[in-house]
Amino acid sequence: MTIHRVEVVVDCEAVENGAPGSRAVNMYASQDIVLSNSQGSFELSIRVDNDDIIRWSAFPKVVQPEGSNENYSVIIDAEHDWNNNTLLKDWTAYQGNMPVYVYEQDAIPMRQDQRVNIERQTAYQPFVQANATLPGRPNPGVSQTEAYTFYVKVYKGTELIKEINWDPFVTVVQP
């Protein structure tokens, strides 16, 4: 069992200007699981082994738009399997509570060859997880593909700008 991570990058400014998910999303995963030259597309297609775990995290392309005091935030708030949960099971949303390194203070001037002080704090990076599971007792080499839909809420400050969705693919293979 391997844990695979997929990063979903949302162009919040494009969403704010009316773009659909298919024109505002880029997805990235480790190149060794990407199929059909889909790296960076909204329809990322990945190939994972039976019993692997997939974790998706969403990020805004730009955190704070130029000339604004408001930050963009994105979060996956729902999913839909197109094949009645045949291949992707046990969908779960996690807060992603984890330690991260940050600067001790804000707006520290950086000088040539001089280190700034950092410290470790707890932060959150939410993610959604599913288990890749082939039905029954598949023979080695057997594979199936499933489309799924993500629904992502895009916020600017505390205001919900829009909820977007799109349909990538996962191929599950019995090793």
Side-chain angles (χ1 to χ4, degrees), residues 46-103:
I46 60 173
R47 179 181 189 251
V48 299
D49 288 341
N50 193 24
D51 295 324
D52 281 356
I53 293 172
I54 308 166
R55 291 183 177 167
W56 294 265
S57 297
F59 303 92
K61 180 179 175 182
V62 173
V63 176
Q64 187 173 37
E66 191 172 330
S68 175
N69 293 329
E70 300 288 342
N71 288 346
Y72 285 125
S73 298
V74 295
I75 191 160
I76 300 166
D77 75 322
E79 61 79 25
H80 172 79
D81 287 319
W82 286 56
N83 203 14
N84 297 322
N85 293 333
T86 302
L87 300 177
L88 300 175
K89 302 205 180 278
D90 302 323
W91 285 92
T92 310
Y94 291 91
Q95 288 183 342
N97 183 349
M98 65 184 79
V100 297
Y101 287 94
V102 298
Y103 300 113

CSV table of all heavy atoms in Angstrom, one decimal, residues 46-103:
chain,number,residue,atom,x,y,z
A,46,ILE,N,-4.6,9.4,-13.2
A,46,ILE,CA,-3.5,8.7,-12.5
A,46,ILE,C,-3.7,7.2,-12.5
A,46,ILE,O,-4.9,6.8,-12.6
A,46,ILE,CB,-3.3,9.3,-11.1
A,46,ILE,CG1,-4.5,9.1,-10.2
A,46,ILE,CG2,-2.8,10.7,-11.1
A,46,ILE,CD1,-4.3,9.5,-8.8
A,47,ARG,N,-2.7,6.5,-12.3
A,47,ARG,CA,-2.7,5.0,-12.2
A,47,ARG,C,-2.1,4.6,-10.9
A,47,ARG,O,-1.0,4.9,-10.6
A,47,ARG,CB,-1.9,4.4,-13.3
A,47,ARG,CG,-1.9,2.9,-13.3
A,47,ARG,CD,-1.1,2.4,-14.5
A,47,ARG,NE,-1.2,1.0,-14.7
A,47,ARG,CZ,-0.2,0.1,-14.4
A,47,ARG,NH1,1.0,0.6,-13.9
A,47,ARG,NH2,-0.4,-1.2,-14.6
A,48,VAL,N,-2.9,3.9,-10.0
A,48,VAL,CA,-2.4,3.5,-8.7
A,48,VAL,C,-2.7,2.0,-8.6
A,48,VAL,O,-3.6,1.4,-9.3
A,48,VAL,CB,-3.1,4.3,-7.6
A,48,VAL,CG1,-2.8,5.8,-7.7
A,48,VAL,CG2,-4.6,4.1,-7.6
A,49,ASP,N,-2.0,1.4,-7.7
A,49,ASP,CA,-2.3,-0.1,-7.4
A,49,ASP,C,-3.4,-0.3,-6.5
A,49,ASP,O,-3.8,0.6,-5.7
A,49,ASP,CB,-1.0,-0.7,-6.8
A,49,ASP,CG,0.1,-0.8,-7.7
A,49,ASP,OD1,-0.1,-0.8,-9.0
A,49,ASP,OD2,1.3,-1.0,-7.3
A,50,ASN,N,-4.0,-1.5,-6.6
A,50,ASN,CA,-5.1,-1.9,-5.7
A,50,ASN,C,-4.6,-1.7,-4.3
A,50,ASN,O,-3.5,-2.0,-3.9
A,50,ASN,CB,-5.4,-3.3,-6.0
A,50,ASN,CG,-6.7,-3.8,-5.4
A,50,ASN,OD1,-7.6,-3.0,-5.1
A,50,ASN,ND2,-6.8,-5.1,-5.2
A,51,ASP,N,-5.5,-1.2,-3.4
A,51,ASP,CA,-5.2,-0.9,-2.0
A,51,ASP,C,-4.4,0.3,-1.7
A,51,ASP,O,-4.0,0.5,-0.5
A,51,ASP,CB,-4.7,-2.2,-1.3
A,51,ASP,CG,-5.7,-3.3,-1.3
A,51,ASP,OD1,-6.9,-3.1,-1.2
A,51,ASP,OD2,-5.2,-4.5,-1.4
A,52,ASP,N,-4.0,1.0,-2.7
A,52,ASP,CA,-3.3,2.3,-2.5
A,52,ASP,C,-4.2,3.3,-1.9
A,52,ASP,O,-5.5,3.2,-2.1
A,52,ASP,CB,-2.6,2.8,-3.7
A,52,ASP,CG,-1.3,2.1,-4.1
A,52,ASP,OD1,-0.9,1.2,-3.3
A,52,ASP,OD2,-0.8,2.4,-5.1
A,53,ILE,N,-3.7,4.4,-1.3
A,53,ILE,CA,-4.4,5.5,-0.8
A,53,ILE,C,-4.1,6.7,-1.6
A,53,ILE,O,-2.9,7.0,-1.9
A,53,ILE,CB,-4.1,5.7,0.7
A,53,ILE,CG1,-4.6,4.6,1.5
A,53,ILE,CG2,-4.7,7.1,1.2
A,53,ILE,CD1,-4.2,4.6,3.0
A,54,ILE,N,-5.1,7.5,-1.9
A,54,ILE,CA,-4.9,8.8,-2.7
A,54,ILE,C,-5.3,9.9,-1.8
A,54,ILE,O,-6.4,9.9,-1.2
A,54,ILE,CB,-5.7,8.8,-4.0
A,54,ILE,CG1,-5.4,7.5,-4.8
A,54,ILE,CG2,-5.4,10.1,-4.8
A,54,ILE,CD1,-6.4,7.3,-5.9
A,55,ARG,N,-4.5,11.0,-1.7
A,55,ARG,CA,-4.8,12.2,-0.9
A,55,ARG,C,-4.8,13.4,-1.8
A,55,ARG,O,-3.8,13.6,-2.5
A,55,ARG,CB,-3.9,12.3,0.3
A,55,ARG,CG,-4.0,11.3,1.3
A,55,ARG,CD,-3.1,11.6,2.5
A,55,ARG,NE,-3.3,10.6,3.5
A,55,ARG,CZ,-2.6,10.3,4.6
A,55,ARG,NH1,-1.4,11.1,4.7
A,55,ARG,NH2,-2.9,9.4,5.4
A,56,TRP,N,-5.9,14.1,-1.8
A,56,TRP,CA,-5.9,15.4,-2.6
A,56,TRP,C,-5.9,16.6,-1.7
A,56,TRP,O,-6.7,16.6,-0.7
A,56,TRP,CB,-7.2,15.4,-3.4
A,56,TRP,CG,-7.4,14.4,-4.5
A,56,TRP,CD1,-7.1,14.5,-5.8
A,56,TRP,CD2,-7.9,13.0,-4.4
A,56,TRP,NE1,-7.4,13.4,-6.5
A,56,TRP,CE2,-7.9,12.4,-5.6
A,56,TRP,CE3,-8.4,12.3,-3.3
A,56,TRP,CZ2,-8.4,11.2,-5.9
A,56,TRP,CZ3,-8.8,11.0,-3.5
A,56,TRP,CH2,-8.8,10.4,-4.8
A,57,SER,N,-5.1,17.5,-2.0
A,57,SER,CA,-5.1,18.8,-1.2
A,57,SER,C,-5.3,19.9,-2.2
A,57,SER,O,-4.7,19.9,-3.3
A,57,SER,CB,-3.7,19.0,-0.5
A,57,SER,OG,-3.5,18.0,0.4
A,58,ALA,N,-6.1,20.9,-1.9
A,58,ALA,CA,-6.3,22.1,-2.8
A,58,ALA,C,-5.6,23.3,-2.3
A,58,ALA,O,-5.6,23.6,-1.0
A,58,ALA,CB,-7.9,22.3,-2.9
A,59,PHE,N,-5.1,24.1,-3.2
A,59,PHE,CA,-4.4,25.3,-2.9
A,59,PHE,C,-4.8,26.4,-3.8
A,59,PHE,O,-5.0,26.2,-5.0
A,59,PHE,CB,-2.9,25.1,-3.1
A,59,PHE,CG,-2.3,24.0,-2.3
A,59,PHE,CD1,-2.2,22.7,-2.8
A,59,PHE,CD2,-1.8,24.2,-1.0
A,59,PHE,CE1,-1.6,21.7,-2.1
A,59,PHE,CE2,-1.3,23.2,-0.3
A,59,PHE,CZ,-1.2,21.9,-0.8
A,60,PRO,N,-4.9,27.7,-3.4
A,60,PRO,CA,-5.1,28.8,-4.3
A,60,PRO,C,-3.8,29.1,-5.1
A,60,PRO,O,-2.7,29.0,-4.5
A,60,PRO,CB,-5.5,30.0,-3.4
A,60,PRO,CG,-4.9,29.6,-2.1
A,60,PRO,CD,-4.8,28.1,-2.0
A,61,LYS,N,-3.9,29.4,-6.4
A,61,LYS,CA,-2.8,29.7,-7.2
A,61,LYS,C,-2.1,31.0,-6.7
A,61,LYS,O,-0.9,31.1,-6.6
A,61,LYS,CB,-3.2,29.9,-8.7
A,61,LYS,CG,-2.1,30.3,-9.6
A,61,LYS,CD,-2.6,30.4,-11.0
A,61,LYS,CE,-1.6,30.8,-12.0
A,61,LYS,NZ,-2.1,31.0,-13.3
A,62,VAL,N,-2.9,32.0,-6.3
A,62,VAL,CA,-2.4,33.2,-5.7
A,62,VAL,C,-3.2,33.3,-4.4
A,62,VAL,O,-4.4,33.3,-4.4
A,62,VAL,CB,-2.7,34.4,-6.6
A,62,VAL,CG1,-2.4,35.7,-5.9
A,62,VAL,CG2,-2.0,34.3,-7.9
A,63,VAL,N,-2.4,33.5,-3.3
A,63,VAL,CA,-3.1,33.6,-2.0
A,63,VAL,C,-3.8,34.9,-1.8
A,63,VAL,O,-4.9,35.0,-1.3
A,63,VAL,CB,-2.0,33.4,-0.9
A,63,VAL,CG1,-2.7,33.5,0.5
A,63,VAL,CG2,-1.4,32.0,-1.0
A,64,GLN,N,-3.1,36.0,-2.2
A,64,GLN,CA,-3.7,37.3,-2.0
A,64,GLN,C,-3.6,38.1,-3.3
A,64,GLN,O,-2.5,38.4,-3.8
A,64,GLN,CB,-3.0,38.1,-0.9
A,64,GLN,CG,-3.7,39.4,-0.5
A,64,GLN,CD,-3.0,40.1,0.7
A,64,GLN,OE1,-1.8,40.0,0.8
A,64,GLN,NE2,-3.8,40.7,1.5
A,65,PRO,N,-4.8,38.5,-3.9
A,65,PRO,CA,-4.7,39.2,-5.1
A,65,PRO,C,-4.1,40.6,-5.0
A,65,PRO,O,-4.3,41.2,-3.9
A,65,PRO,CB,-6.2,39.2,-5.6
A,65,PRO,CG,-7.0,39.0,-4.3
A,65,PRO,CD,-6.1,38.2,-3.4
A,66,GLU,N,-3.5,41.0,-6.0
A,66,GLU,CA,-2.9,42.3,-6.0
A,66,GLU,C,-3.9,43.4,-5.7
A,66,GLU,O,-5.0,43.4,-6.3
A,66,GLU,CB,-2.2,42.6,-7.3
A,66,GLU,CG,-1.3,43.8,-7.3
A,66,GLU,CD,-0.5,44.0,-8.6
A,66,GLU,OE1,-0.1,43.0,-9.2
A,66,GLU,OE2,-0.2,45.1,-8.9
A,67,GLY,N,-3.6,44.3,-4.8
A,67,GLY,CA,-4.5,45.4,-4.4
A,67,GLY,C,-5.6,45.1,-3.5
A,67,GLY,O,-6.5,45.9,-3.3
A,68,SER,N,-5.6,43.9,-2.9
A,68,SER,CA,-6.6,43.5,-2.0
A,68,SER,C,-6.1,43.1,-0.6
A,68,SER,O,-4.9,42.7,-0.5
A,68,SER,CB,-7.3,42.2,-2.6
A,68,SER,OG,-8.3,41.7,-1.7
A,69,ASN,N,-6.9,43.3,0.4
A,69,ASN,CA,-6.5,42.9,1.7
A,69,ASN,C,-7.1,41.5,2.1
A,69,ASN,O,-6.8,41.0,3.1
A,69,ASN,CB,-7.0,43.9,2.8
A,69,ASN,CG,-6.2,45.2,2.6
A,69,ASN,OD1,-5.1,45.3,2.3
A,69,ASN,ND2,-6.9,46.3,2.9
A,70,GLU,N,-7.9,41.0,1.2
A,70,GLU,CA,-8.5,39.7,1.4
A,70,GLU,C,-7.7,38.5,0.8
A,70,GLU,O,-7.1,38.7,-0.3
A,70,GLU,CB,-9.9,39.7,0.7
A,70,GLU,CG,-10.8,40.7,1.2
A,70,GLU,CD,-11.3,40.4,2.6
A,70,GLU,OE1,-11.2,39.3,3.1
A,70,GLU,OE2,-11.8,41.4,3.3
A,71,ASN,N,-7.6,37.4,1.5
A,71,ASN,CA,-6.9,36.2,1.0
A,71,ASN,C,-7.9,35.3,0.3
A,71,ASN,O,-9.1,35.2,0.7
A,71,ASN,CB,-6.3,35.5,2.1
A,71,ASN,CG,-5.1,36.2,2.7
A,71,ASN,OD1,-4.6,37.1,2.0
A,71,ASN,ND2,-4.6,35.8,3.8
A,72,TYR,N,-7.4,34.5,-0.7
A,72,TYR,CA,-8.2,33.5,-1.3
A,72,TYR,C,-8.0,32.2,-0.5
A,72,TYR,O,-6.9,31.9,0.0
A,72,TYR,CB,-7.7,33.2,-2.7
A,72,TYR,CG,-8.2,34.2,-3.7
A,72,TYR,CD1,-7.3,34.9,-4.5
A,72,TYR,CD2,-9.5,34.5,-3.9
A,72,TYR,CE1,-7.6,35.8,-5.5
A,72,TYR,CE2,-9.9,35.4,-4.9
A,72,TYR,CZ,-9.0,36.0,-5.7
A,72,TYR,OH,-9.4,36.9,-6.6
A,73,SER,N,-9.0,31.4,-0.4
A,73,SER,CA,-9.0,30.1,0.3
A,73,SER,C,-9.8,29.1,-0.6
A,73,SER,O,-10.8,29.5,-1.2
A,73,SER,CB,-9.5,30.1,1.7
A,73,SER,OG,-8.8,30.9,2.5
A,74,VAL,N,-9.4,27.9,-0.6
A,74,VAL,CA,-10.1,26.9,-1.3
A,74,VAL,C,-10.2,25.6,-0.5
A,74,VAL,O,-9.3,25.3,0.3
A,74,VAL,CB,-9.5,26.5,-2.7
A,74,VAL,CG1,-9.5,27.7,-3.6
A,74,VAL,CG2,-8.1,26.0,-2.6
A,75,ILE,N,-11.3,24.9,-0.6
A,75,ILE,CA,-11.5,23.6,0.2
A,75,ILE,C,-12.4,22.7,-0.6
A,75,ILE,O,-13.4,23.1,-1.1
A,75,ILE,CB,-11.9,23.9,1.6
A,75,ILE,CG1,-11.8,22.6,2.4
A,75,ILE,CG2,-13.3,24.5,1.6
A,75,ILE,CD1,-11.8,22.9,3.9
A,76,ILE,N,-12.0,21.4,-0.7
A,76,ILE,CA,-12.8,20.4,-1.3
A,76,ILE,C,-13.9,20.1,-0.3
A,76,ILE,O,-13.6,19.7,0.9
A,76,ILE,CB,-12.0,19.1,-1.6
A,76,ILE,CG1,-10.8,19.5,-2.6
A,76,ILE,CG2,-12.9,18.0,-2.1
A,76,ILE,CD1,-9.8,18.4,-2.7
A,77,ASP,N,-15.2,20.2,-0.7
A,77,ASP,CA,-16.2,20.0,0.3
A,77,ASP,C,-17.2,18.9,-0.1
A,77,ASP,O,-18.1,18.5,0.7
A,77,ASP,CB,-17.0,21.3,0.6
A,77,ASP,CG,-18.0,21.7,-0.5
A,77,ASP,OD1,-17.6,21.5,-1.7
A,77,ASP,OD2,-19.0,22.2,-0.2
A,78,ALA,N,-17.0,18.3,-1.3
A,78,ALA,CA,-17.8,17.1,-1.7
A,78,ALA,C,-17.2,16.4,-2.9
A,78,ALA,O,-16.3,17.0,-3.6
A,78,ALA,CB,-19.2,17.6,-2.1
A,79,GLU,N,-17.6,15.2,-3.1
A,79,GLU,CA,-17.1,14.4,-4.2
A,79,GLU,C,-18.2,13.5,-4.7
A,79,GLU,O,-19.2,13.3,-4.0
A,79,GLU,CB,-15.9,13.5,-3.8
A,79,GLU,CG,-16.2,12.5,-2.7
A,79,GLU,CD,-16.9,11.2,-3.1
A,79,GLU,OE1,-16.9,10.8,-4.3
A,79,GLU,OE2,-17.6,10.6,-2.3
A,80,HIS,N,-18.1,13.1,-5.9
A,80,HIS,CA,-19.1,12.2,-6.5
A,80,HIS,C,-18.4,11.1,-7.4
A,80,HIS,O,-17.6,11.5,-8.2
A,80,HIS,CB,-20.1,12.9,-7.4
A,80,HIS,CG,-21.0,12.0,-8.1
A,80,HIS,ND1,-22.1,11.4,-7.6
A,80,HIS,CD2,-21.0,11.6,-9.4
A,80,HIS,CE1,-22.7,10.7,-8.5
A,80,HIS,NE2,-22.0,10.8,-9.6
A,81,ASP,N,-18.6,9.9,-7.1
A,81,ASP,CA,-18.0,8.8,-7.9
A,81,ASP,C,-19.0,8.5,-9.0
A,81,ASP,O,-20.2,8.3,-8.8
A,81,ASP,CB,-17.8,7.5,-7.1
A,81,ASP,CG,-16.6,7.6,-6.2
A,81,ASP,OD1,-15.6,8.2,-6.6
A,81,ASP,OD2,-16.7,7.1,-5.0
A,82,TRP,N,-18.5,8.4,-10.2
A,82,TRP,CA,-19.4,8.2,-11.4
A,82,TRP,C,-19.8,6.7,-11.5
A,82,TRP,O,-20.6,6.3,-12.4
A,82,TRP,CB,-18.7,8.6,-12.7
A,82,TRP,CG,-18.6,10.1,-12.8
A,82,TRP,CD1,-18.1,11.0,-11.9
A,82,TRP,CD2,-19.2,10.9,-13.8
A,82,TRP,NE1,-18.3,12.3,-12.3
A,82,TRP,CE2,-18.9,12.2,-13.5
A,82,TRP,CE3,-19.8,10.6,-15.0
A,82,TRP,CZ2,-19.3,13.3,-14.4
A,82,TRP,CZ3,-20.1,11.6,-15.9
A,82,TRP,CH2,-19.9,12.9,-15.5
A,83,ASN,N,-19.1,5.8,-10.7
A,83,ASN,CA,-19.4,4.4,-10.9
A,83,ASN,C,-19.8,3.8,-9.6
A,83,ASN,O,-19.4,2.7,-9.2
A,83,ASN,CB,-18.1,3.7,-11.4
A,83,ASN,CG,-18.4,2.4,-12.1
A,83,ASN,OD1,-19.5,2.1,-12.4
A,83,ASN,ND2,-17.4,1.6,-12.3
A,84,ASN,N,-20.7,4.5,-8.8
A,84,ASN,CA,-21.2,4.0,-7.5
A,84,ASN,C,-20.2,3.5,-6.6
A,84,ASN,O,-20.3,2.5,-6.0
A,84,ASN,CB,-22.3,3.0,-7.8
A,84,ASN,CG,-23.4,3.5,-8.6
A,84,ASN,OD1,-23.9,4.6,-8.4
A,84,ASN,ND2,-23.9,2.7,-9.5
A,85,ASN,N,-19.1,4.3,-6.4
A,85,ASN,CA,-18.0,3.9,-5.4
A,85,ASN,C,-17.4,2.5,-5.7
A,85,ASN,O,-17.1,1.8,-4.8
A,85,ASN,CB,-18.5,4.0,-4.0
A,85,ASN,CG,-18.9,5.4,-3.6
A,85,ASN,OD1,-18.3,6.3,-4.1
A,85,ASN,ND2,-19.8,5.5,-2.6
A,86,THR,N,-17.3,2.1,-7.0
A,86,THR,CA,-16.8,0.8,-7.3
A,86,THR,C,-15.3,0.8,-7.0
A,86,THR,O,-14.8,-0.2,-6.4
A,86,THR,CB,-17.0,0.5,-8.8
A,86,THR,OG1,-18.4,0.5,-9.0
A,86,THR,CG2,-16.5,-0.9,-9.1
A,87,LEU,N,-14.5,1.8,-7.3
A,87,LEU,CA,-13.1,1.7,-7.2
A,87,LEU,C,-12.5,2.6,-6.1
A,87,LEU,O,-11.5,2.3,-5.6
A,87,LEU,CB,-12.4,2.1,-8.6
A,87,LEU,CG,-12.8,1.3,-9.8
A,87,LEU,CD1,-12.1,1.8,-11.0
A,87,LEU,CD2,-12.4,-0.2,-9.5
A,88,LEU,N,-13.2,3.7,-5.8
A,88,LEU,CA,-12.7,4.7,-4.8
A,88,LEU,C,-13.6,4.6,-3.6
A,88,LEU,O,-14.8,4.9,-3.7
A,88,LEU,CB,-12.6,6.1,-5.4
A,88,LEU,CG,-11.7,6.3,-6.6
A,88,LEU,CD1,-11.8,7.7,-7.2
A,88,LEU,CD2,-10.3,6.0,-6.2
A,89,LYS,N,-13.1,4.1,-2.5
A,89,LYS,CA,-13.9,3.8,-1.3
A,89,LYS,C,-13.4,4.6,-0.1
A,89,LYS,O,-12.3,5.1,-0.1
A,89,LYS,CB,-13.9,2.3,-1.0
A,89,LYS,CG,-14.4,1.5,-2.2
A,89,LYS,CD,-14.9,0.2,-1.7
A,89,LYS,CE,-15.4,-0.7,-2.8
A,89,LYS,NZ,-16.7,-0.4,-3.3
A,90,ASP,N,-14.3,4.7,0.9
A,90,ASP,CA,-13.9,5.3,2.2
A,90,ASP,C,-13.4,6.7,2.0
A,90,ASP,O,-12.4,7.1,2.6
A,90,ASP,CB,-12.9,4.4,2.9
A,90,ASP,CG,-13.3,3.0,3.1
A,90,ASP,OD1,-14.5,2.8,3.4
A,90,ASP,OD2,-12.5,2.1,3.0
A,91,TRP,N,-14.1,7.5,1.2
A,91,TRP,CA,-13.8,8.9,1.1
A,91,TRP,C,-13.9,9.6,2.5
A,91,TRP,O,-14.8,9.4,3.2
A,91,TRP,CB,-14.8,9.6,0.2
A,91,TRP,CG,-14.6,9.3,-1.3
A,91,TRP,CD1,-15.1,8.3,-2.0
A,91,TRP,CD2,-13.7,10.0,-2.2
A,91,TRP,NE1,-14.7,8.4,-3.3
A,91,TRP,CE2,-13.8,9.4,-3.4
A,91,TRP,CE3,-12.9,11.1,-2.0
A,91,TRP,CZ2,-13.2,9.9,-4.5
A,91,TRP,CZ3,-12.2,11.6,-3.1
A,91,TRP,CH2,-12.3,11.0,-4.4
A,92,THR,N,-12.8,10.3,2.8
A,92,THR,CA,-12.8,10.9,4.2
A,92,THR,C,-12.1,12.3,4.0
A,92,THR,O,-11.1,12.4,3.3
A,92,THR,CB,-11.9,10.1,5.1
A,92,THR,OG1,-12.4,8.7,5.1
A,92,THR,CG2,-12.0,10.5,6.5
A,93,ALA,N,-12.6,13.3,4.8
A,93,ALA,CA,-12.0,14.6,4.8
A,93,ALA,C,-11.3,14.8,6.1
A,93,ALA,O,-11.8,14.5,7.2
A,93,ALA,CB,-13.1,15.7,4.7
A,94,TYR,N,-10.0,15.3,6.0
A,94,TYR,CA,-9.2,15.5,7.2
A,94,TYR,C,-8.8,17.0,7.3
A,94,TYR,O,-8.6,17.7,6.3
A,94,TYR,CB,-7.9,14.7,7.0
A,94,TYR,CG,-8.1,13.2,7.1
A,94,TYR,CD1,-8.3,12.4,6.0
A,94,TYR,CD2,-8.0,12.6,8.4
A,94,TYR,CE1,-8.5,11.1,6.1
A,94,TYR,CE2,-8.2,11.2,8.5
A,94,TYR,CZ,-8.5,10.4,7.3
A,94,TYR,OH,-8.7,9.1,7.4
A,95,GLN,N,-8.7,17.4,8.5
A,95,GLN,CA,-8.2,18.8,8.8
A,95,GLN,C,-6.7,19.0,8.4
A,95,GLN,O,-6.3,20.1,8.0
A,95,GLN,CB,-8.4,19.2,10.2
A,95,GLN,CG,-9.8,19.4,10.6
A,95,GLN,CD,-9.9,19.8,12.1
A,95,GLN,OE1,-9.0,19.7,12.9
A,95,GLN,NE2,-11.1,20.4,12.4
A,96,GLY,N,-6.0,17.9,8.5
A,96,GLY,CA,-4.6,18.0,8.1
A,96,GLY,C,-3.7,18.8,9.1
A,96,GLY,O,-2.8,19.5,8.8
A,97,ASN,N,-4.0,18.5,10.4
A,97,ASN,CA,-3.3,19.1,11.5
A,97,ASN,C,-1.9,18.6,11.5
A,97,ASN,O,-1.6,17.4,11.6
A,97,ASN,CB,-4.0,18.8,12.8
A,97,ASN,CG,-3.4,19.4,14.0
A,97,ASN,OD1,-2.3,20.0,13.9
A,97,ASN,ND2,-4.0,19.3,15.1
A,98,MET,N,-0.9,19.5,11.3
A,98,MET,CA,0.5,19.0,11.2
A,98,MET,C,1.5,20.2,11.6
A,98,MET,O,1.1,21.3,11.5
A,98,MET,CB,0.8,18.6,9.8
A,98,MET,CG,0.7,19.7,8.7
A,98,MET,SD,1.0,19.1,7.1
A,98,MET,CE,-0.6,18.5,6.7
A,99,PRO,N,2.7,19.8,12.0
A,99,PRO,CA,3.6,20.8,12.3
A,99,PRO,C,4.3,21.4,11.0
A,99,PRO,O,4.5,20.6,10.1
A,99,PRO,CB,4.7,20.1,13.2
A,99,PRO,CG,4.5,18.7,12.8
A,99,PRO,CD,3.1,18.5,12.4
A,100,VAL,N,4.5,22.7,11.0
A,100,VAL,CA,5.1,23.3,9.9
A,100,VAL,C,6.1,24.4,10.4
A,100,VAL,O,6.0,24.8,11.6
A,100,VAL,CB,4.1,24.1,8.9
A,100,VAL,CG1,3.2,23.1,8.3
A,100,VAL,CG2,3.4,25.1,9.7
A,101,TYR,N,7.1,24.7,9.6
A,101,TYR,CA,8.0,25.7,10.0
A,101,TYR,C,7.6,27.1,9.5
A,101,TYR,O,7.2,27.2,8.3
A,101,TYR,CB,9.4,25.4,9.5
A,101,TYR,CG,10.0,24.3,10.2
A,101,TYR,CD1,9.9,23.0,9.8
A,101,TYR,CD2,10.7,24.5,11.4
A,101,TYR,CE1,10.5,21.9,10.5
A,101,TYR,CE2,11.2,23.4,12.1
A,101,TYR,CZ,11.1,22.1,11.6
A,101,TYR,OH,11.6,21.1,12.4
A,102,VAL,N,7.7,28.1,10.4
A,102,VAL,CA,7.3,29.5,10.0
A,102,VAL,C,8.4,30.4,10.6
A,102,VAL,O,9.3,30.0,11.4
A,102,VAL,CB,5.9,29.9,10.6
A,102,VAL,CG1,4.8,29.0,10.1
A,102,VAL,CG2,6.0,29.8,12.1
A,103,TYR,N,8.4,31.7,10.1
A,103,TYR,CA,9.3,32.7,10.6
A,103,TYR,C,8.9,33.1,12.0
A,103,TYR,O,7.7,33.2,12.3
A,103,TYR,CB,9.4,33.9,9.7
A,103,TYR,CG,9.8,33.5,8.3
A,103,TYR,CD1,9.0,33.6,7.2
A,103,TYR,CD2,11.1,33.0,8.1
A,103,TYR,CE1,9.4,33.2,6.0
A,103,TYR,CE2,11.5,32.6,6.8
A,103,TYR,CZ,10.6,32.8,5.8
A,103,TYR,OH,11.0,32.4,4.5
